Amino acid sequence: GGIITQTPKFLIGQEGQKLTLKCQQNFNHDTMYWYRQDSGKGLRLIYYSITENDLQKGDLSEGYDASREKKSSFSLTVTSAQKNEMAVFLCASSIESFSGNTLYFGEGSRLIVV
Amino acid sequence: GDSVTQTEGQVALSEEDFLTIHCNYSASGYPTLFWYVQYPGEGPQLLFRASRDKEKGSSRGFEATYDKGTTSFHLRKASVQESDSAVYYCALSDQQGTGSKLSFGKGAKLTVSP
């Protein structure tokens, strides 16, 4: 088995600040994802990466940057934190298959903007 | 684009009640359909998936049948337990799967009372 580790679990920052969330996986999976979770809105894809140094924009990429410098890690940066961005950010990874991807998720990082 | 619609945001039941959570999708071809479950304080985890018309997925007493005619994948359980209290997400991925992304519904929060 493997695990997805997200750090920090809680990230507190000020409005306008650049804030970074980190994610590590030891599944040796090719693809990694960042989703934003808001109550009543489900999970919305911010960025994903199908291999090291690859980045693909999701539906919610504006205001965020991502980086995949190693196969095992994927970071997400909020470029200018806003109070309406307080949410839980979920990192996930998957191994490719033609029958559809099964995603393995971390426990989430909660962003708090003061 | 591909999308998933879950109509129930909150579901409140008593133990041993029958559960139905509705999921309808919009996609071309034969997407793979998933149900994920998220327990408090954890990331979502795969409950089961289905890839073909009339295929039934099942796990832990939950089941859903892929119905291309009605574009549905409704989640059912005959007798819920308090431990089933969680958020349930329906999701789909496109036909090829490789390098693709999952589109999630808004989630249904199930609360089961003893």
Side-chain angles (χ1 to χ4, degrees), chain B residues 8-81:
Chain B
E8 296 95 350
Q10 309 256 3
V11 180
L13 296 173
S14 300
E15 279 194 322
E16 299 183 11
D17 280 352
F18 188 92
L19 169 71
T20 300
I21 298 177
H22 295 93
C23 173
N24 288 91
Y25 70 90
S26 173
S28 56
Y30 278 90
T32 297
L33 302 175
F34 304 78
W35 277 103
Y36 279 79
V37 57
Q38 184 177 24
Y39 298 103
E42 299 180 11
Q45 57 185 271
L46 179 69
L47 195 54
F48 54 79
R49 65 185 183 190
S51 304
R52 302 181 306 276
D53 191 23
K54 303 297 184 253
E55 180 180 355
K56 180 189 282 189
S58 63
S59 175
R60 309 180 208 177
F62 293 89
E63 63 179 38
T65 300
Y66 192 132
D67 190 331
K68 187 168 172 61
T70 58
T71 60
S72 66
F73 193 55
H74 304 318
L75 181 68
R76 293 187 167 93
K77 187 175 185 182
S79 176
V80 294
Q81 302 301 311

Coordinates of all heavy atoms in Angstrom, one line a residue, chain B residues 8-81:
Chain B
E8 N -29.5 15.2 -4.2 CA -29.6 15.3 -2.8 C -28.3 15.9 -2.2 O -27.3 15.4 -2.4 CB -29.8 14.0 -2.2 CG -31.1 13.3 -2.6 CD -31.0 12.3 -3.7 OE1 -29.9 12.3 -4.3 OE2 -31.9 11.6 -4.0
G9 N -28.5 17.0 -1.5 CA -27.3 17.6 -0.8 C -27.2 17.0 0.6 O -26.1 16.7 1.1
Q10 N -28.3 16.8 1.3 CA -28.3 16.2 2.6 C -29.3 15.1 2.7 O -30.4 15.2 2.1 CB -28.7 17.2 3.7 CG -27.9 18.5 3.6 CD -26.9 18.6 4.7 OE1 -26.7 17.7 5.5 NE2 -26.2 19.8 4.7
V11 N -29.0 14.0 3.3 CA -29.9 12.8 3.5 C -29.8 12.4 4.9 O -28.8 12.1 5.5 CB -29.5 11.6 2.6 CG1 -30.5 10.5 2.8 CG2 -29.4 12.1 1.1
A12 N -31.0 12.4 5.6 CA -31.1 12.0 7.0 C -31.9 10.8 7.1 O -33.1 10.8 6.7 CB -31.6 13.2 7.8
L13 N -31.4 9.7 7.7 CA -32.1 8.5 7.8 C -31.9 7.9 9.2 O -31.0 8.3 9.9 CB -31.6 7.4 6.8 CG -31.8 7.8 5.3 CD1 -31.0 6.8 4.4 CD2 -33.3 7.8 4.9
S14 N -32.7 6.9 9.5 CA -32.5 6.1 10.7 C -31.9 4.8 10.4 O -32.0 4.3 9.2 CB -33.8 5.9 11.4 OG -34.4 7.1 11.8
E15 N -31.2 4.2 11.3 CA -30.6 2.8 11.1 C -31.6 1.9 10.5 O -32.8 1.9 10.9 CB -30.0 2.3 12.4 CG -28.6 2.9 12.7 CD -27.9 2.1 13.7 OE1 -28.5 1.6 14.7 OE2 -26.7 1.9 13.6
E16 N -31.2 1.1 9.6 CA -32.0 0.0 8.9 C -32.9 0.6 7.8 O -33.6 -0.1 7.1 CB -32.8 -0.8 9.9 CG -32.0 -1.6 10.9 CD -32.8 -2.5 11.8 OE1 -34.0 -2.7 11.6 OE2 -32.2 -2.9 12.8
D17 N -32.9 1.9 7.6 CA -33.6 2.5 6.5 C -33.0 2.1 5.2 O -31.8 1.8 5.1 CB -33.7 4.0 6.6 CG -34.7 4.5 7.6 OD1 -35.5 3.7 8.1 OD2 -34.8 5.7 7.9
F18 N -33.8 2.2 4.1 CA -33.3 2.0 2.7 C -32.7 3.4 2.2 O -33.3 4.4 2.4 CB -34.4 1.6 1.8 CG -33.9 1.1 0.5 CD1 -33.6 -0.2 0.2 CD2 -33.8 2.1 -0.6 CE1 -33.2 -0.6 -1.1 CE2 -33.4 1.7 -1.8 CZ -33.1 0.4 -2.1
L19 N -31.6 3.3 1.5 CA -30.9 4.5 1.0 C -30.9 4.5 -0.5 O -30.6 3.5 -1.1 CB -29.5 4.5 1.5 CG -28.5 5.6 0.8 CD1 -28.9 7.0 1.3 CD2 -27.1 5.3 1.1
T20 N -31.3 5.7 -1.0 CA -31.0 6.0 -2.5 C -30.4 7.3 -2.6 O -31.0 8.3 -2.0 CB -32.3 5.9 -3.3 OG1 -32.9 4.6 -3.2 CG2 -32.0 6.2 -4.8
I21 N -29.3 7.4 -3.2 CA -28.7 8.7 -3.6 C -28.6 8.8 -5.1 O -28.0 7.9 -5.7 CB -27.3 8.9 -3.0 CG1 -27.4 8.9 -1.4 CG2 -26.7 10.2 -3.5 CD1 -26.1 9.1 -0.7
H22 N -29.2 9.8 -5.7 CA -29.3 9.8 -7.2 C -28.1 10.4 -7.8 O -27.5 11.4 -7.3 CB -30.6 10.6 -7.6 CG -31.9 10.0 -7.2 ND1 -32.5 10.3 -6.0 CD2 -32.6 9.0 -7.8 CE1 -33.6 9.5 -5.9 NE2 -33.7 8.7 -7.0
C23 N -27.7 9.9 -9.0 CA -26.6 10.4 -9.7 C -27.0 10.3 -11.2 O -27.3 9.2 -11.7 CB -25.3 9.6 -9.5 SG -24.0 10.0 -10.5
N24 N -27.0 11.4 -11.9 CA -27.1 11.4 -13.4 C -25.9 12.0 -14.0 O -25.3 12.9 -13.4 CB -28.4 12.1 -13.8 CG -29.7 11.4 -13.4 OD1 -30.2 11.5 -12.3 ND2 -30.1 10.5 -14.3
Y25 N -25.6 11.6 -15.2 CA -24.4 12.1 -15.8 C -24.7 12.6 -17.2 O -25.7 12.2 -17.9 CB -23.3 11.0 -15.8 CG -23.5 9.9 -16.7 CD1 -23.1 9.9 -18.1 CD2 -24.2 8.8 -16.3 CE1 -23.3 8.8 -18.9 CE2 -24.5 7.7 -17.1 CZ -24.0 7.7 -18.4 OH -24.3 6.7 -19.3
S26 N -23.8 13.4 -17.7 CA -23.8 13.9 -19.1 C -22.4 13.7 -19.7 O -21.4 14.3 -19.2 CB -24.2 15.3 -19.2 OG -24.1 15.8 -20.5
A27 N -22.3 12.8 -20.7 CA -21.0 12.5 -21.3 C -21.2 11.8 -22.6 O -22.2 11.2 -22.8 CB -20.1 11.7 -20.4
S28 N -20.2 11.9 -23.5 CA -20.3 11.1 -24.7 C -19.7 9.7 -24.5 O -18.9 9.5 -23.6 CB -19.5 11.9 -25.8 OG -18.2 12.1 -25.4
G29 N -20.1 8.8 -25.3 CA -19.5 7.5 -25.3 C -19.8 6.7 -24.0 O -20.9 6.9 -23.4
Y30 N -18.9 6.0 -23.5 CA -19.0 5.2 -22.3 C -18.0 5.6 -21.2 O -17.0 5.0 -21.1 CB -18.8 3.7 -22.6 CG -20.1 3.0 -23.2 CD1 -20.3 3.0 -24.5 CD2 -21.0 2.4 -22.3 CE1 -21.4 2.4 -25.1 CE2 -22.1 1.8 -22.9 CZ -22.3 1.8 -24.2 OH -23.4 1.2 -24.8
P31 N -18.4 6.6 -20.4 CA -17.5 7.0 -19.4 C -17.4 6.0 -18.3 O -18.4 5.2 -18.1 CB -18.1 8.3 -18.8 CG -19.5 8.2 -19.1 CD -19.6 7.4 -20.4
T32 N -16.4 5.9 -17.5 CA -16.4 5.1 -16.3 C -17.0 5.9 -15.2 O -16.7 7.1 -15.0 CB -14.9 4.7 -15.9 OG1 -14.4 3.9 -17.0 CG2 -14.9 3.9 -14.6
L33 N -17.9 5.3 -14.4 CA -18.6 5.9 -13.3 C -18.1 5.4 -12.0 O -17.8 4.2 -11.9 CB -20.1 5.7 -13.5 CG -20.7 6.2 -14.8 CD1 -22.2 5.8 -14.9 CD2 -20.6 7.7 -15.0
F34 N -18.1 6.3 -11.0 CA -17.5 5.9 -9.7 C -18.5 6.4 -8.6 O -19.2 7.5 -8.7 CB -16.2 6.7 -9.5 CG -15.1 6.4 -10.5 CD1 -15.1 7.0 -11.7 CD2 -14.1 5.5 -10.2 CE1 -14.1 6.8 -12.6 CE2 -13.1 5.3 -11.1 CZ -13.1 6.0 -12.3
W35 N -18.4 5.8 -7.5 CA -18.9 6.3 -6.2 C -17.7 6.4 -5.2 O -17.0 5.4 -5.0 CB -20.0 5.5 -5.6 CG -21.3 5.8 -6.2 CD1 -22.0 5.1 -7.1 CD2 -22.1 7.0 -5.9 NE1 -23.2 5.8 -7.4 CE2 -23.3 6.9 -6.7 CE3 -22.0 8.1 -5.0 CZ2 -24.3 7.9 -6.6 CZ3 -23.0 9.0 -5.0 CH2 -24.1 8.9 -5.7
Y36 N -17.5 7.6 -4.7 CA -16.5 7.8 -3.6 C -17.2 8.1 -2.3 O -18.2 8.7 -2.3 CB -15.5 8.9 -4.0 CG -14.4 8.5 -5.0 CD1 -14.7 8.5 -6.3 CD2 -13.1 8.3 -4.5 CE1 -13.7 8.1 -7.2 CE2 -12.1 7.9 -5.4 CZ -12.4 7.9 -6.7 OH -11.4 7.5 -7.6
V37 N -16.6 7.7 -1.2 CA -17.1 8.0 0.1 C -16.1 8.8 0.9 O -14.9 8.4 0.9 CB -17.6 6.8 0.8 CG1 -16.5 5.7 1.0 CG2 -18.2 7.1 2.2
Q38 N -16.5 9.8 1.6 CA -15.6 10.6 2.5 C -16.1 10.6 3.9 O -17.1 11.2 4.2 CB -15.4 12.0 1.9 CG -14.4 12.8 2.7 CD -14.2 14.2 2.1 OE1 -15.1 14.7 1.4 NE2 -13.1 14.8 2.3
Y39 N -15.3 9.9 4.8 CA -15.7 10.0 6.2 C -15.1 11.2 6.9 O -14.1 11.8 6.4 CB -15.1 8.7 6.9 CG -15.8 7.4 6.3 CD1 -15.1 6.6 5.5 CD2 -17.1 7.1 6.7 CE1 -15.7 5.5 4.9 CE2 -17.7 6.0 6.2 CZ -17.0 5.2 5.3 OH -17.5 4.0 4.8
P40 N -15.6 11.7 8.0 CA -15.1 12.9 8.6 C -13.6 12.8 8.9 O -13.1 11.8 9.4 CB -15.9 12.9 9.9 CG -17.2 12.2 9.6 CD -16.8 11.1 8.7
G41 N -12.9 13.9 8.5 CA -11.5 14.0 8.8 C -10.6 13.2 7.8 O -9.4 13.2 8.0
E42 N -11.2 12.6 6.8 CA -10.4 11.8 5.9 C -10.6 12.3 4.4 O -11.5 13.1 4.2 CB -10.9 10.3 5.9 CG -10.7 9.7 7.3 CD -11.1 8.2 7.3 OE1 -11.4 7.7 6.2 OE2 -11.2 7.6 8.3
G43 N -9.8 11.8 3.5 CA -10.0 12.1 2.1 C -11.0 11.2 1.5 O -11.3 10.1 2.1
P44 N -11.5 11.5 0.4 CA -12.5 10.6 -0.3 C -11.7 9.3 -0.6 O -10.5 9.3 -0.9 CB -12.9 11.3 -1.6 CG -12.6 12.7 -1.3 CD -11.4 12.8 -0.4
Q45 N -12.5 8.2 -0.6 CA -11.9 6.9 -1.0 C -12.9 6.2 -1.9 O -14.1 6.3 -1.8 CB -11.6 6.0 0.2 CG -12.8 5.7 1.1 CD -12.3 5.0 2.4 OE1 -12.4 3.8 2.4 NE2 -12.0 5.7 3.4
L46 N -12.4 5.4 -2.8 CA -13.2 4.7 -3.8 C -14.1 3.7 -3.1 O -13.7 2.9 -2.3 CB -12.4 4.0 -4.9 CG -13.1 3.2 -5.9 CD1 -13.9 4.2 -6.8 CD2 -12.2 2.3 -6.7
L47 N -15.4 3.8 -3.4 CA -16.4 2.7 -3.0 C -16.4 1.6 -4.0 O -16.2 0.5 -3.7 CB -17.7 3.4 -2.7 CG -18.8 2.6 -1.9 CD1 -18.3 2.2 -0.6 CD2 -20.0 3.5 -1.8
F48 N -16.7 2.0 -5.3 CA -16.7 1.1 -6.4 C -16.9 1.8 -7.7 O -17.1 3.0 -7.7 CB -17.8 0.0 -6.3 CG -19.2 0.5 -6.1 CD1 -19.9 1.0 -7.2 CD2 -19.8 0.5 -4.9 CE1 -21.2 1.5 -7.1 CE2 -21.1 0.9 -4.8 CZ -21.8 1.4 -5.8
R49 N -16.7 1.1 -8.8 CA -16.9 1.8 -10.1 C -17.5 0.8 -11.1 O -17.6 -0.4 -10.8 CB -15.5 2.2 -10.6 CG -14.6 1.1 -10.9 CD -13.2 1.7 -11.3 NE -12.3 0.7 -11.7 CZ -11.0 0.9 -11.9 NH1 -10.5 2.1 -11.8 NH2 -10.2 -0.1 -12.3
A50 N -17.9 1.3 -12.2 CA -18.5 0.5 -13.3 C -18.1 1.2 -14.6 O -18.1 2.4 -14.7 CB -20.0 0.4 -13.1
S51 N -17.9 0.3 -15.7 CA -17.4 0.8 -16.9 C -18.3 0.5 -18.1 O -18.1 1.1 -19.2 CB -16.1 0.2 -17.2 OG -15.2 0.5 -16.2
R52 N -19.3 -0.4 -17.9 CA -20.2 -0.8 -19.1 C -21.7 -0.7 -18.7 O -22.0 -0.8 -17.6 CB -19.9 -2.2 -19.5 CG -18.4 -2.5 -19.8 CD -18.2 -3.9 -20.2 NE -18.7 -4.9 -19.2 CZ -18.0 -5.2 -18.1 NH1 -16.8 -4.7 -17.9 NH2 -18.5 -6.1 -17.3
D53 N -22.5 -0.5 -19.7 CA -23.9 -0.4 -19.5 C -24.4 -1.7 -18.8 O -23.9 -2.8 -19.2 CB -24.6 -0.3 -20.9 CG -26.1 0.0 -20.8 OD1 -26.5 0.5 -19.7 OD2 -26.8 -0.3 -21.7
K54 N -25.2 -1.6 -17.8 CA -25.8 -2.7 -17.1 C -24.8 -3.3 -16.1 O -25.2 -4.2 -15.3 CB -26.4 -3.8 -17.9 CG -27.4 -3.2 -18.9 CD -28.7 -2.7 -18.2 CE -29.7 -2.2 -19.3 NZ -29.8 -0.8 -19.4
E55 N -23.6 -2.8 -16.0 CA -22.7 -3.3 -15.0 C -23.0 -2.9 -13.6 O -23.4 -1.7 -13.4 CB -21.2 -2.9 -15.4 CG -20.2 -3.4 -14.4 CD -18.8 -3.0 -14.7 OE1 -18.5 -2.4 -15.8 OE2 -17.9 -3.3 -13.9
K56 N -23.0 -3.7 -12.7 CA -23.3 -3.4 -11.3 C -22.0 -3.3 -10.5 O -21.2 -4.2 -10.5 CB -24.2 -4.4 -10.6 CG -24.6 -4.1 -9.2 CD -25.3 -5.2 -8.5 CE -26.8 -5.2 -8.9 NZ -27.5 -6.2 -8.0
G57 N -21.8 -2.2 -9.8 CA -20.7 -2.1 -8.9 C -21.3 -2.3 -7.5 O -22.4 -1.9 -7.2
S58 N -20.5 -2.8 -6.6 CA -20.9 -3.0 -5.2 C -19.8 -3.1 -4.2 O -18.7 -3.5 -4.6 CB -21.8 -4.3 -5.1 OG -21.0 -5.4 -5.4
S59 N -20.0 -2.7 -3.0 CA -19.0 -2.8 -2.0 C -19.7 -2.4 -0.6 O -20.5 -1.5 -0.6 CB -17.9 -1.8 -2.2 OG -17.0 -1.8 -1.2
R60 N -19.4 -3.1 0.4 CA -19.9 -2.9 1.8 C -21.4 -2.8 1.9 O -21.9 -2.0 2.7 CB -19.3 -1.6 2.3 CG -17.8 -1.5 2.2 CD -17.2 -0.2 2.7 NE -16.0 0.2 2.1 CZ -15.4 1.4 2.3 NH1 -15.8 2.2 3.2 NH2 -14.3 1.7 1.6
G61 N -22.1 -3.5 1.0 CA -23.6 -3.4 1.0 C -24.2 -2.4 0.1 O -25.4 -2.3 -0.1
F62 N -23.3 -1.5 -0.4 CA -23.8 -0.5 -1.3 C -23.7 -1.0 -2.8 O -22.8 -1.8 -3.1 CB -22.9 0.8 -1.3 CG -23.0 1.6 0.0 CD1 -22.2 1.3 1.1 CD2 -23.9 2.6 0.1 CE1 -22.3 2.0 2.3 CE2 -24.0 3.3 1.3 CZ -23.2 3.0 2.4
E63 N -24.6 -0.6 -3.6 CA -24.6 -1.0 -5.0 C -25.1 0.1 -5.9 O -25.9 1.0 -5.5 CB -25.3 -2.3 -5.2 CG -26.8 -2.2 -4.9 CD -27.5 -3.5 -5.2 OE1 -26.9 -4.6 -4.9 OE2 -28.6 -3.5 -5.7
A64 N -24.7 0.0 -7.2 CA -25.2 1.0 -8.2 C -25.1 0.3 -9.5 O -24.1 -0.5 -9.8 CB -24.5 2.3 -8.2
T65 N -26.0 0.5 -10.4 CA -26.0 -0.1 -11.8 C -25.9 1.0 -12.8 O -26.6 1.9 -12.8 CB -27.3 -0.9 -12.0 OG1 -27.4 -2.0 -11.0 CG2 -27.3 -1.6 -13.4
Y66 N -24.9 0.8 -13.7 CA -24.6 1.7 -14.8 C -25.8 1.6 -15.8 O -26.1 0.5 -16.3 CB -23.4 1.3 -15.5 CG -22.7 2.2 -16.5 CD1 -21.4 2.5 -16.4 CD2 -23.4 2.7 -17.5 CE1 -20.7 3.3 -17.3 CE2 -22.8 3.5 -18.5 CZ -21.4 3.8 -18.3 OH -20.8 4.6 -19.3
D67 N -26.5 2.7 -16.0 CA -27.7 2.7 -16.9 C -27.5 3.7 -18.0 O -27.7 4.9 -17.7 CB -29.0 2.9 -16.2 CG -30.2 2.6 -17.0 OD1 -30.1 2.8 -18.3 OD2 -31.2 2.2 -16.5
K68 N -27.1 3.3 -19.2 CA -26.8 4.3 -20.2 C -28.1 4.9 -20.8 O -28.2 6.0 -21.2 CB -26.0 3.6 -21.4 CG -25.6 4.6 -22.5 CD -24.6 4.0 -23.4 CE -24.3 4.9 -24.6 NZ -23.7 6.2 -24.1
G69 N -29.2 4.1 -20.7 CA -30.5 4.6 -21.2 C -31.0 5.8 -20.5 O -31.5 6.8 -21.1
T70 N -30.8 5.7 -19.1 CA -31.3 6.9 -18.3 C -30.1 7.7 -17.8 O -30.3 8.7 -17.1 CB -32.1 6.4 -17.1 OG1 -31.2 5.5 -16.3 CG2 -33.3 5.6 -17.5
T71 N -28.9 7.4 -18.3 CA -27.7 8.1 -17.9 C -27.6 8.3 -16.4 O -27.5 9.4 -15.9 CB -27.5 9.5 -18.6 OG1 -28.6 10.4 -18.3 CG2 -27.4 9.3 -20.1
S72 N -27.8 7.2 -15.7 CA -27.8 7.2 -14.2 C -26.9 6.2 -13.6 O -26.5 5.2 -14.2 CB -29.3 7.0 -13.8 OG -29.7 5.7 -14.1
F73 N -26.6 6.4 -12.4 CA -25.7 5.5 -11.6 C -26.1 5.7 -10.1 O -25.3 6.1 -9.3 CB -24.3 5.8 -11.8 CG -23.3 4.7 -11.4 CD1 -23.4 3.4 -11.7 CD2 -22.2 5.1 -10.6 CE1 -22.5 2.5 -11.3 CE2 -21.2 4.2 -10.1 CZ -21.4 2.8 -10.5
H74 N -27.3 5.4 -9.8 CA -27.9 5.7 -8.4 C -27.3 4.8 -7.4 O -27.3 3.5 -7.6 CB -29.4 5.6 -8.4 CG -30.1 6.5 -9.5 ND1 -29.7 7.8 -9.7 CD2 -31.1 6.2 -10.3 CE1 -30.4 8.3 -10.7 NE2 -31.3 7.4 -11.0
L75 N -26.9 5.3 -6.2 CA -26.4 4.5 -5.1 C -27.5 4.0 -4.2 O -28.4 4.8 -3.8 CB -25.4 5.4 -4.3 CG -24.7 4.7 -3.2 CD1 -23.7 3.7 -3.6 CD2 -24.0 5.8 -2.3
R76 N -27.5 2.7 -3.9 CA -28.5 2.2 -3.0 C -27.9 1.3 -1.9 O -26.9 0.7 -2.1 CB -29.5 1.4 -3.9 CG -30.3 2.2 -4.8 CD -31.4 1.5 -5.5 NE -32.3 2.4 -6.2 CZ -32.2 2.8 -7.5 NH1 -31.2 2.3 -8.2 NH2 -33.1 3.6 -8.0
K77 N -28.6 1.3 -0.8 CA -28.2 0.3 0.2 C -29.5 -0.1 1.0 O -30.3 0.8 1.3 CB -27.2 0.9 1.2 CG -26.7 -0.2 2.2 CD -25.6 0.3 3.1 CE -25.1 -0.8 4.0 NZ -24.0 -0.4 5.0
A78 N -29.7 -1.3 1.2 CA -30.9 -1.8 1.7 C -31.2 -1.5 3.2 O -32.3 -1.2 3.6 CB -31.0 -3.4 1.6
S79 N -30.1 -1.4 4.0 CA -30.2 -1.2 5.4 C -29.0 -0.4 5.9 O -27.9 -1.0 6.1 CB -30.4 -2.5 6.1 OG -30.4 -2.3 7.5
V80 N -29.2 0.9 6.1 CA -28.0 1.7 6.5 C -27.7 1.6 8.0 O -28.6 1.3 8.8 CB -28.2 3.2 6.1 CG1 -28.2 3.4 4.6 CG2 -29.4 3.8 6.8
Q81 N -26.4 1.8 8.3 CA -26.0 1.8 9.7 C -25.4 3.2 10.0 O -25.0 4.0 9.2 CB -24.9 0.7 9.9 CG -25.3 -0.7 9.5 CD -26.5 -1.1 10.4 OE1 -26.5 -1.0 11.6 NE2 -27.6 -1.6 9.7

